[in-house]
Amino acid sequence: MERISVHQFITLGAGVLLGTTFLPIATVVTEIGGRGGWVSILPGFAAGVPYALMVFSLMEKYPGKNLIEISEILFGKWLGKLIGIIFVVITTYLGGLLVAQIGDIYEVAVMPLTPIGVFHLGGIVLVYFLIRSGIEVFARFAEIIFPFIVIALALNIGLSIPRIEHGELLPLLGNGLFSIILGVPKVIPFVMTYILFLAVIIPFLPTGKRELPKLKRGVWRVIFLVGILDTLIVLIQILVFGPTETIRLVYGFLTLGKMVEISRTVAGVESLFLGVWLGAAVIKITALFFSTIWGLDTIFRLNGIKWRVLTAVVLLTIACKFVRGPAMIIELGIVDQYLTMPFVMLWIPILWGISHWKKSAGT
């Protein structure tokens, strides 16, 4: 079985967690917390740390097995398979919606006359070939692409500073402290998607006693690096657009790219940032595709090229059949909020708790 290094795990995890979050997150938190919505981001991301540590605890007790296999051991065959089916449904549907988002953004922002199916097909082909190449190649791809994503995001933030409107950030608690607290559950689903991926990638991680502490520290780095980046992205949008316009602009960070000017000679560099976003989206969709095929392999022993092709066709079908624009964004929010988050927040602690109970009971 292929294995990836600790460094590859960190960059891959950061790419999956960052994924497409930097586009909608400003709208999500500002709608609840107003000018102070950005304060909700780091606490929301930090909520993923104990879940990741529980996953590593289970990995240590059941080496070489993913969480679906561990669920079958602890919950029994049929309940474990039911959990696995729910897992596959969530990862497949969410992956299809993200493929749809690629087409929606590129059609609107770059090539409105190009059929949207062309973008869907291009995205899924990139994802399929990454999957076909194996987890190590996927990790190397993330290792190469992720630094460029961070640099591009930092440039967009830095070049937008001259457009800051003074006073837009105050009063910080204009919507009250409670609104910031309410914003935290809106952020948690983003990190729960990362935990879904972690649930199936653990058999591919190094298993030595020296590596496990590094993996745990790596999770802290991933979560807080991405959390800080997303916080800065939300801050710059609030400072430039104000809270009302930030809420209205679903893809406000791309709008910032259109406004960027360098020495009055280079302007409208949103295409550059769209390219960066495509790299981030491909990493996240590939992670969900990977989760789906390993879920199918674990539950039904369905593996091989034909099942990977079928999975790609299902993702493409979801992308092509689903409505575009705001309705798609709403659907993504519903899946994150009412499927991914409750599933992971119940599954992992119960699995971890039963594992410890059985250990203490000596069974």
Side-chain angles (χ1 to χ4, degrees):
M1 180 180 287
E2 291 180 290
R3 293 196 183 274
I4 61 176
S5 68
V6 174
H7 183 265
Q8 287 173 331
F9 164 71
I10 293 171
T11 53
L12 179 57
V16 171
L17 183 55
L18 184 62
T20 53
T21 62
F22 61 84
L23 289 181
I25 195 167
T27 299
V28 170
V29 297
T30 309
E31 190 172 15
I32 300 295
R35 289 178 170 85
W38 59 274
V39 179
S40 305
I41 296 175
L42 276 176
F45 274 70
V49 171
Y51 285 87
L53 296 179
M54 283 188 274
V55 171
F56 284 127
S57 174
L58 290 164
M59 181 185 83
E60 199 172 7
K61 291 178 184 175
Y62 302 91
K65 297 187 181 299
N66 62 46
L67 290 199
I68 300 174
E69 292 173 306
I70 297 172
S71 295
E72 290 188 17
I73 293 170
L74 295 178
F75 295 144
K77 179 180 179 181
W78 296 110
L79 183 55
K81 287 189 181 300
L82 177 61
I83 291 170
I85 291 169
I86 296 171
F87 176 93
V88 167
V89 168
I90 291 173
T91 56
T92 304
Y93 191 50
L94 186 55
L97 290 177
L98 291 178
V99 174
Q101 193 177 35
I102 288 178
D104 183 62
I105 290 177
Y106 269 82
E107 185 188 46
V108 171
V110 182
M111 291 179 264
L113 299 180
T114 304
I116 194 169
V118 173
F119 301 112
H120 294 158
L121 183 61
I124 204 66
V125 166
L126 281 172
V127 168
Y128 177 79
F129 277 103
L130 272 177
I131 287 291
R132 187 178 176 182
S133 301
I135 185 66
E136 189 176 358
V137 172
F138 176 33
R140 288 177 182 174
F141 173 81
E143 206 171 16
I144 294 168
I145 295 296
F146 185 72
F148 289 103
I149 295 172
V150 174
I151 290 169
L153 293 178
L155 279 173
N156 203 359
I157 292 169
L159 294 172
S160 299
I161 290 175
R163 294 187 173 273
I164 287 176
E165 298 288 339
H166 298 289
E168 287 291 356
L169 203 59
L170 299 174
L172 182 61
L173 298 178
N175 287 26
L177 179 61
F178 189 64
S179 65
I180 294 176
I181 296 172
L182 288 177
V184 173
K186 296 292 185 180
V187 178
I188 291 176
F190 294 122
V191 76
M192 291 298 113
T193 304
Y194 167 66
I195 301 298
L196 276 180
F197 178 57
L198 191 60
V200 293
I201 200 178
I202 51 176
F204 301 90
L205 301 179
T207 55
K209 291 184 178 180
R210 292 183 179 180
E211 281 77 15
L212 187 59
K214 294 179 182 178
L215 290 172
K216 292 178 180 179
R217 289 195 297 270
V219 167
W220 284 89
R221 292 176 187 173
V222 166
I223 287 176
F224 283 98
L225 169 64
V226 176
I228 291 168
L229 273 174
D230 279 340
T231 299
L232 293 174
I233 287 166
V234 175
L235 268 172
I236 195 67
Q237 288 183 68
I238 293 173
L239 287 167
V240 172
F241 300 125
T244 303
E245 194 69 6
T246 298
I247 295 169
R248 189 186 68 83
L249 294 170
V250 178
Y251 300 133
F253 201 64
L254 294 182
T255 305
L256 281 179
K258 294 180 182 179
M259 298 167 59
V260 165
E261 291 183 0
I262 304 174
S263 300
R264 297 185 179 181
T265 56
V266 179
V269 295
E270 73 276 9
S271 296
L272 168 65
F273 301 120
L274 273 172
V276 169
W277 176 83
L278 177 62
V282 165
I283 291 173
K284 189 163 187 175
I285 296 167
T286 305
L288 292 167
F289 195 129
F290 178 88
S291 301
T292 297
I293 60 174
W294 275 99
L296 290 173
D297 187 17
T298 303
I299 303 164
F300 303 114
R301 298 295 181 261
L302 301 177
N303 51 36
I305 293 177
K306 65 178 181 181
W307 295 107
R308 294 179 184 182
V309 171
L310 182 60
T311 302
V313 170
V314 171
L315 293 180
L316 191 59
T317 302
I318 293 170
C320 291
K321 293 294 183 181
F322 203 83
V323 292
R324 310 175 194 176
M328 184 189 60
I329 301 301
I330 292 170
E331 186 71 11
L332 276 167
I334 290 171
V335 173
D336 282 339
Q337 199 75 31
Y338 299 107
L339 285 178
T340 306
M341 184 172 73
F343 173 70
V344 176
M345 293 187 78
L346 288 173
W347 177 35
I348 305 296
I350 292 173
L351 190 63
W352 179 81
I354 290 177
S355 171
H356 274 259
W357 174 73
K358 286 195 172 185
K359 181 182 178 182
S360 62
T363 57

